[in-house]
């Protein structure tokens, strides 16, 4: 019977390292390969759901590394779920929270895999299980992060010409603020009238630097300034926000719904970047989105350079958000030398498209998984 079929039999976590097409430099680290934990969750009926936990340069973007994610899945999260049923995602989440504090990327990958397995079994897309979809394509930006403005302008021109991306997020904070301002001015001048720009400082600045630089970024028509201050400094962010017209995008300061409420109460942001690795899966993402909506804070579809596995899970979660004012940034599949799935996500006309079919609508390529797996 269906109930017995939905019992979780096995959860396998595989670390993979996939080279990127170029070096990706952000404030705290620089990577030439993306590391993920791929979760394969098998039900008694033989169906295997997949999920992905992305990291960026070890435990530097957040506290989770692929090594820690795999260790905590194997030792704590998987044992708490074996024998439980895939049609009870809230119970699965409660059991994971009882088994391990935080570990949101690990939990997010497992929850996505459980939804995929449930959707594949029932013959419905994950978006349907999450409440349905109000959109099937998403405006998608590209991130410029080599640090070399000449290379970045050339890269942006290529994306514009191919009609892949017309909004660019520039990673700042790795170099001195004055250098970044000069770099931004070159980019803004070269792309003026043809592309929108946002910046992400990944917590690199303090309040003084932010107060000096944000008005200049606003004057360059930079549309969003992401996480200019350290995640802990909500009061500082609120003061900076009150003194500039550049809208603030909250990223590392919002993992939980309570974090989102604190940002709202402090008046620290105009928009929030939603990510499965931060919110512990699609259910947590919906909760954070609800708090943001209640506070009048706009939604932005964030990423951590996921492959098509993790990106598809995000698109299913984003598909049902009534307003996604700032679109999304799931360019990840395009920055990898090779994707991990048979039919990668489709990018066209400045949009990324929700895959069709049951579950997440993507299938893992076992050869690619084997090739990039860390032994
Ligand atoms: C981040 O902090 O937003 C997302 C895109 C990118 O280039 O870096 C990431 C992480
Ligand atoms: Mg960010």
């Amino acid at each position: 019977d269906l109930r017995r079929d939905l019992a979780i039999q096995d959860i396998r976590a595989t670390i993979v390292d996939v080279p990127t097409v170029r070096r990706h430099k952000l404030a705290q680290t620089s990577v030439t390969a993306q590391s993920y934990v791929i979760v394969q969750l098998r039900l008694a009926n033989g169906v295997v759901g997949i999920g992905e936990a992305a990291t960026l340069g070890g435990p530097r973007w957040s506290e989770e590394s692929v090594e820690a994610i795999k260790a905590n899945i194997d030792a704590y999260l998987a044992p708490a779920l074996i024998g439980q049923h895939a049609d009870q995602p809230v119970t699965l989440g409660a059991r994971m929270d009882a088994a391990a504090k935080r570990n949101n990327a690990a939990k997010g990958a497992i929850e996505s895999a459980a939804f995929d397995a449930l959707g594949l079994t029932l013959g419905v897309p994950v978006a349907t299980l999450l409440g349905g979809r109000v959109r099937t394509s998403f405006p998608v930006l590209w991130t410029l992060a080599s640090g070399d403005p000449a290379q970045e302008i050339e890269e942006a021109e290529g994306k514009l010409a191919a009609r892949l991306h017309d909004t660019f997020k520039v990673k700042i904070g790795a170099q001195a603020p004055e250098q970044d301002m000069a770099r931004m001015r070159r980019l803004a001048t070269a792309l003026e009238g043809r592309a929108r720009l946002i910046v992400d400082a990944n917590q690199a600045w303090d309040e003084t630097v932010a107060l000096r630089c944000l008005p200049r970024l606003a004057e360059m028509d930079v549309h969003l300034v992401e996480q200019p201050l350290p995640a802990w400094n909500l009061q500082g962010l609120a003061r900076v926000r009150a003194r500039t017209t550049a809208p603030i995008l909250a990223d590392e300061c919002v993992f939980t719904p309570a974090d989102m409420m604190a940002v709202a109460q402090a008046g620290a942001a105009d928009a929030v970047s939603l990510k499965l690795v931060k919110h512990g899966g699609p259910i947590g993402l919906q909760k954070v989105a609800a708090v943001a909506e209640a506070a009048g804070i706009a939604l932005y579809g964030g990423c951590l350079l996921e492959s098509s596995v993790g990106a598809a899970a995000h698109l299913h979660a984003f598909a049902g958000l009534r307003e996604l004012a700032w679109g999304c940034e799931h360019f990840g599949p395009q920055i990898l030398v090779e994707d991990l799935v048979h039919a990668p996500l489709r990018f066209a006309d400045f949009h990324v498209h929700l895959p069709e079919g049951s579950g997440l609508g993507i299938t893992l390529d076992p050869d690619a998984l084997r090739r990039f797996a860390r032994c």
Side-chain angles (χ1 to χ4, degrees):
D1 66 51
L2 179 65
R3 187 93 189 111
R4 207 174 43 228
D5 288 354
L6 290 172
I8 297 171
Q9 261 190 355
D10 183 53
I11 297 176
R12 183 175 307 171
T14 307
I15 296 177
V16 297
D17 304 289
V18 188
T20 53
V21 295
R22 63 144 165 77
R23 178 175 290 280
H24 202 73
K25 246 166 103 169
L26 48 155
Q28 65 274 54
T29 185
S30 161
V31 300
T32 52
Q34 252 307 71
S35 300
Y36 310 109
V37 173
I38 299 297
V39 169
Q40 294 170 282
L41 181 147
R42 200 181 66 235
L43 303 182
N45 63 12
V47 167
V48 178
I50 54 176
E52 177 182 282
T55 61
L56 206 46
R60 290 189 184 88
W61 186 85
S62 73
E63 71 277 21
E64 287 180 273
S65 64
V66 283
E67 296 82 6
I69 291 168
K70 178 174 166 50
N72 284 329
I73 289 175
D74 291 349
Y76 301 102
L77 297 173
L81 299 186
I82 301 304
Q84 298 294 311
H85 293 86
D87 62 343
Q88 300 300 330
V90 174
T91 299
L92 302 182
R95 291 185 69 91
M96 288 198 283
D97 286 346
K101 293 262 187 276
R102 289 180 67 94
N103 282 279
N104 297 351
K107 292 172 183 173
I110 291 175
E111 190 173 271
S112 300
F115 271 115
D116 185 31
L118 181 59
L120 289 169
T121 301
L122 300 177
V124 296
V126 168
T128 301
L129 299 174
L130 295 173
R133 57 194 192 200
V134 297
R135 66 183 68 74
T136 55
S137 69
F138 310 76
V140 59
L141 63 70
W142 177 263
T143 296
L144 302 170
S146 74
D148 167 8
Q151 184 282 335
E152 289 170 339
I153 291 165
E154 192 186 319
E155 195 172 292
E157 292 290 2
K159 299 297 178 189
L160 280 168
R163 296 183 58 79
L164 284 169
H165 309 277
D166 60 3
T167 302
F168 300 96
K169 163 160 150 177
V170 187
K171 301 299 270 192
I172 58 173
Q175 45 195 358
E178 287 312 315
Q179 257 175 296
D180 271 334
M181 288 304 107
R183 171 181 168 217
M184 286 308 300
R185 202 166 288 285
R186 271 187 71 182
L187 291 174
T189 305
L191 301 170
E192 194 180 352
R194 297 184 298 134
R196 280 178 298 274
L197 292 178
I198 77 171
V199 295
D200 186 358
N202 284 109
Q203 318 184 56
W205 290 347
D206 62 18
E207 200 172 333
T208 315
V209 172
L211 279 174
R212 193 166 77 235
C213 293
L214 263 60
R216 288 154 73 184
L217 291 170
E219 185 213 316
M220 292 176 218
D221 201 25
V222 166
H223 280 51
L224 283 174
V225 178
E226 182 172 346
Q227 202 66 54
L229 300 192
W232 59 265
N233 195 359
L234 296 188
Q235 301 306 321
L237 197 54
R239 286 189 292 269
V240 168
R241 177 169 173 259
R243 292 173 62 181
T244 171
T245 57
I248 302 289
L249 175 60
D251 188 11
E252 290 94 321
C253 59
V254 178
F255 275 56
T256 66
D259 292 342
M260 188 69 250
M261 188 143 85
V263 165
Q265 284 170 337
D270 298 274
V272 60
S273 180
L274 300 170
K275 302 182 182 182
L276 295 175
V277 289
K278 296 194 298 179
H279 315 317
I283 295 175
L285 187 148
Q286 288 182 329
K287 290 184 184 178
V288 171
V291 177
E293 283 168 353
I297 293 173
L299 306 180
Y300 173 102
C303 85
L304 204 59
L305 275 61
E306 283 82 358
S307 79
S308 282
V309 178
H314 279 85
L315 298 189
H316 281 273
F318 297 158
L321 301 170
R322 282 200 204 174
E323 303 287 343
L324 188 61
W326 292 98
C328 87
E329 60 177 22
H330 276 277
F331 63 90
Q334 308 243 310
I335 204 158
L336 304 176
V337 292
E338 206 183 309
D339 211 330
L340 299 173
V341 302
H342 279 306
L345 292 187
R346 194 163 61 83
F347 293 80
D349 284 322
F350 312 111
H351 284 68
V352 58
H353 295 265
L354 184 70
E356 286 172 9
S358 308
L360 292 175
I362 38 127
T363 42
L364 203 54
D365 175 352
D367 291 334
L369 186 69
R370 220 169 298 122
R371 224 158 338 109
F372 295 116
R374 199 185 286 181
C375 296

